[in-house]
Amino acid sequence: MPHQLAVRLGLEYSEALAVIAVLEAEGLCENHLLIYHNCKPDVPVGAIPYGQGFPNLPWVCPSCQKSVEDYNELSFDIMAKSMDSIEFL
């Protein structure tokens, strides 16, 4: 996740996002947009491939089955899954 990468490498959050984007462009990781809903604000309730955009509304939360009509009920984060071991020098 960008915030974890930023802390480990001493980067700004925006720089960590850029690193993750470059890693995906080089085929070294797959990025996903994690979806959080108010029913479980600390646990992702969904994920879609990064770059696909935000989920279409109305969106049904798979955790509570509530139909979400407003993006204000959702929050998002990015998760990068590396395809191989990555070493930062």
Side-chain angles (χ1 to χ4, degrees):
M1 298 182 100
H3 60 277
Q4 293 171 328
L5 185 62
V7 169
R8 288 185 181 169
L9 298 179
L11 303 173
E12 296 292 325
Y13 184 82
S14 60
E15 294 170 324
L17 281 174
V19 168
I20 288 172
V22 169
L23 290 173
E24 183 177 45
E26 294 294 323
L28 298 172
C29 72
E30 289 181 353
N31 296 337
H32 289 85
L33 182 68
L34 299 180
I35 305 167
Y36 296 81
H37 182 231
N38 292 342
C39 71
K40 291 185 177 179
D42 297 327
V43 178
V45 294
I48 56 177
Y50 187 74
Q52 180 176 319
F54 293 103
N56 294 325
L57 297 180
W59 180 77
V60 177
C61 174
S63 180
C64 70
Q65 307 308 313
K66 179 183 175 193
S67 179
V68 176
E69 304 284 336
D70 188 338
Y71 285 116
N72 290 329
E73 296 182 47
L74 303 173
S75 58
F76 305 94
D77 201 357
I78 299 169
M79 178 184 69
K81 180 180 176 185
S82 65
M83 309 306 270
D84 294 307
S85 180
I86 299 172
E87 183 178 353
F88 294 95
L89 304 173

